[in-house]
Each structure stands twice: as structure tokens, then as C-alpha cells.
Amino acid sequence: NFQDLHGLNQLPGLAVQNLMVEGFGFGAEGDWKTSAFLAILKYASQGKKGATAFMEDYTYDLSKGKELVLGAHMLEVDPSLAVTKPIIEVHPLGIGGKNDPARLVFDSILGDAIMISVIDTGYGFKAIIQKGQLVTPPEKMPKLPVAQVMWKLLPNFKQATQTWIEEGGAHHTILTTQFTAEDIVDLANIYGIESVVIG
């Protein structure tokens, strides 16, 4: 419960990671749209296999024909994505002038997934839904001391990224293996917001 987690205020990354496991919405850098939509999906996902989590495009592997997206965030990758037991590690953060923070580090689950970006179009909201597949990273990344997720975009990297940019997709997303693109389109219709599916 929150009282138990409140004592972790000296470990901000760990506290945020644990709050997301408990079902709290989160969006980094004040991203309230991602936080709110994540909270809705966390609630709706209760009892479903898989995971639903805050995510961010961190960097890209642009090997021709093998393009991949590496998703991570400094201290806020949701442990519900873990395929193995998370390990608590302490590493320098490099920004903010704070003590070295603790964070949970782990490898992620694999399989079909979607990434959702909720944006404000100026006349309403839009859910951009990208289909993908969570995959095993092609090599270990020991110098990236955070939890990470790697995925392949559908139908292919070039078409997916072009459409994502044209539709206004942001770098903060909700990654989920618990819902299909059709589920999110239905939810968007219930809320009266626009939606687009890529892939």
C-alpha cells in the first residue's frame, strides 16, 4: 500500500516503479495525459495476463532490415513488465545533483504488444496506437543501468515511424500486452476521442 511505499522517499525511482505495479498511473515530465490513460488501463487490466506500463522510446537500432526500438526511462520502468525477478541496483543518475538512486533492473516479457500515445490535437484528444512485437535484445547492454524493453514495429520500421510522426505521436507511451488495438479503439470511442492504428 502507499504508506508502505512512502518510506521509500529516499529511493524515488524505486517508489515510482512500485506505485505503478500497484496500479497508479504515471507520466514522466508532467505528462498528465499518459498518466491518466495509464491509470484507466491499469484499472481495466485487473485479472488479465500480461502487463500495461508507462514507456518511452529511448534509442533505436537502425541496422537495415533489422530495425528495433529500445524502450527505457531513467528510473520509471514498471516491474510488471519483468520476465525475471527484478534486481535492485544503485547507479549514478548523471543529472539533478542528487545522490545515486536505486532502481529495479530486469529483462522484459516478450510477445505481441501495442504502444499508445495520447495527444492533445488542439480540438480534442487522439489515441495513436502502434502495433509491435516485444523481442529479446540482440545483445546485452551492461552500460545501460535501467530496466529496458525492446520491440519491433509493425508493419515495418520506416512505415511505422513515418505514420507515427505524421499523426503527432509523442515519445511517451503506454506499452501493453493486455489489450489489443481494437480494445483501445473501442475505449477511445467510448470517451469520444479520435484514434488511429498503425501496423
Side-chain angles (χ1 to χ4, degrees):
N1 65 36
F2 184 73
Q3 279 190 324
D4 295 336
L5 294 168
H6 189 66
L8 295 174
N9 61 356
Q10 297 302 311
L11 307 172
L14 211 63
V16 170
Q17 286 178 291
N18 279 309
L19 283 169
M20 284 189 282
V21 170
E22 294 292 319
F24 284 79
F26 175 78
E29 291 96 40
D31 184 352
W32 66 268
K33 295 179 295 300
T34 299
S35 179
F37 207 73
L38 177 57
I40 292 165
L41 292 182
K42 283 280 195 182
Y43 184 80
S45 71
Q46 293 177 52
K48 293 171 73 75
K49 290 181 70 172
T52 298
F54 167 78
M55 189 47 61
E56 176 175 299
D57 284 22
Y58 187 77
T59 192
Y60 306 94
D61 179 347
L62 299 177
S63 301
K64 191 166 179 63
K66 301 177 183 176
E67 296 90 349
L68 297 170
V69 181
L70 175 65
H73 206 274
M74 287 180 185
L75 304 174
E76 299 107 0
V77 181
D78 188 331
S80 65
L81 289 166
V83 71
T84 54
K85 185 175 181 180
I87 299 168
I88 297 175
E89 296 184 8
V90 177
H91 298 281
L93 185 57
I95 63 170
K98 304 286 184 182
N99 292 335
D100 296 347
R103 76 287 305 271
L104 295 170
V105 178
F106 52 84
D107 294 323
S108 83
I109 57 178
L110 306 177
D112 293 338
I114 55 171
M115 282 61 68
I116 308 155
S117 176
V118 179
I119 64 165
D120 185 343
T121 64
Y123 55 85
F125 295 103
K126 177 165 64 173
I128 303 163
I129 306 152
Q130 170 67 61
K131 293 183 179 182
Q133 294 173 328
L134 303 184
V135 299
T136 303
E139 56 188 82
K140 295 288 186 184
M141 290 174 274
K143 294 187 178 180
L144 180 62
V146 294
Q148 61 215 246
V149 182
M150 187 160 268
W151 62 86
K152 176 182 176 182
L153 296 172
L154 297 176
N156 59 65
F157 185 84
K158 183 176 181 180
Q159 191 174 336
T161 53
Q162 179 177 337
T163 308
W164 185 267
I165 291 167
E166 290 173 349
E167 292 292 340
H171 71 297
H172 288 164
T173 60
I174 297 164
L175 183 154
T176 181
T177 64
Q178 294 176 302
F179 299 97
T180 65
E182 293 74 18
D183 293 332
I184 304 305
V185 169
D186 287 346
L187 184 61
N189 288 336
I190 289 168
Y191 282 114
I193 68 174
E194 186 181 351
S195 63
V196 60
V197 179
I198 305 169

